[in-house]
Amino acid sequence: DIQMTQSPSSLSAPVGDRVTITCRASQGISNYLAWYQQKPGKVPKLLIYSASTLQSGVPSRFSASGSGTHFTLTITSLQPEDVATYYCQEFTGVPYTFGQGTKLEIK
Amino acid sequence: QVQLQESGPGLVTPSQTLSLTCTVSGGSFTNAGAYWSWIRQHPGKGLEWIGYIHYTGKTYYNPSLESRITLSLDTSKNQFSLRVPSVTAADTAIYYCARAFEGYYFDFWGHGTPVTVSS
């Protein structure tokens, strides 16, 4: 199975800051990567697919990049409503695996 | 807009069978690119893909769970189901049903149903 490792596990930043979360795959996955946002007590929401394509309706302050084994999710100007846990997910094939999550808080 | 809704018992006795059903509305259940999925989240933990089923009946399971789970579907009711026999406390989790677009990423999710395994 492909292992997905996110860093950091948690972070805290002030409103307006630029925030970057990293996801690394244990082997190359091309651009077969998605990012999800899960707000406290809520359902995961698809933010990004194919490593860098923004899902419809997702604010433009979210962006992502990467290919192969190294990927990043960036929030250009952190907002209070971005408090959530963020997960990456690879989709090269069965079994699909998620990263362990990055918990983002406001400082 | 595709909508999914899980249903099933919130409490299951150890060694019994957990059965959950997901009802899909607002979209084509028999869309060739839709793979109907189950994902679970243990308390305070991350996400675990359980498996998915295509409307043709083809199933794909997480190998770590394959020996224990069964997915099925009823196209006449736009429903798909998860069956987990002989549950233990380790099966306590929130269970989500979701649509995997082209079998890849999960673009529509149900609200999730919490399941507790306890006597």
Side-chain angles (χ1 to χ4, degrees):
Chain A
D1 299 359
I2 297 174
Q3 306 302 315
M4 306 302 293
T5 304
Q6 292 181 229
S7 60
S9 295
S10 64
L11 78 156
S12 180
V15 171
D17 251 26
R18 179 186 181 94
V19 171
T20 297
I21 298 169
T22 297
C23 177
R24 291 185 184 274
S26 60
Q27 63 189 72
I29 60 170
S30 184
N31 68 334
Y32 291 94
L33 186 97
W35 289 95
Y36 300 86
Q37 174 194 63
Q38 186 176 30
K39 296 183 178 182
K42 301 298 184 181
V43 179
K45 172 188 174 182
L46 177 67
L47 294 179
I48 303 280
Y49 59 91
S50 298
S52 61
T53 303
L54 204 66
Q55 175 72 339
S56 176
V58 174
S60 59
R61 63 180 180 274
F62 290 91
S63 64
S65 64
S67 182
T69 62
H70 184 240
F71 302 86
T72 58
L73 172 69
T74 298
I75 307 173
T76 53
S77 178
L78 184 65
Q79 299 302 303
E81 59 266 33
D82 299 334
V83 168
T85 299
Y86 293 84
Y87 295 94
C88 61
Q89 176 234 332
E90 62 82 23
F91 50 91
T92 56
V94 172
Y96 300 112
T97 54
F98 294 84
Q100 82 280 14
T102 295
K103 187 175 183 179
L104 174 60
E105 298 176 325
I106 299 294
K107 186 181 292 184
Chain B
Q1 182 80 348
V2 177
Q3 294 183 312
L4 301 96
Q5 178 66 58
E6 304 89 350
S7 59
L11 179 64
V12 184
T13 303
S15 80
Q16 298 303 299
T17 296
L18 167 64
S19 294
L20 297 175
T21 295
C22 182
T23 302
V24 179
S25 61
S28 176
F29 189 70
T30 56
N31 185 310
Y35 290 73
W36 303 105
S37 312
W38 290 98
I39 296 162
R40 70 181 181 181
Q41 187 168 33
H42 293 105
K45 301 297 184 181
L47 300 163
E48 179 182 32
W49 177 75
I50 296 171
Y52 57 45
I53 185 166
H54 192 248
Y55 83 93
T56 56
K58 177 66 175 174
T59 53
Y60 302 80
Y61 297 120
N62 189 325
S64 68
L65 299 168
E66 187 168 11
S67 63
R68 298 187 58 221
I69 61 173
T70 302
L71 301 187
S72 60
L73 78 168
D74 185 338
T75 55
S76 68
K77 296 181 179 179
N78 284 4
Q79 293 179 336
F80 62 105
S81 299
L82 168 69
R83 184 175 182 273
V84 185
S86 305
V87 295
T88 70
D91 294 308
T92 293
I94 297 174
Y95 286 76
Y96 296 98
C97 59
R99 186 183 82 166
F101 180 80
E102 298 291 338
Y104 291 150
Y105 47 84
F106 307 100
D107 56 353
F108 293 100
W109 296 64
H111 291 147
T113 186
V115 174
T116 299
V117 178
S118 175
S119 55

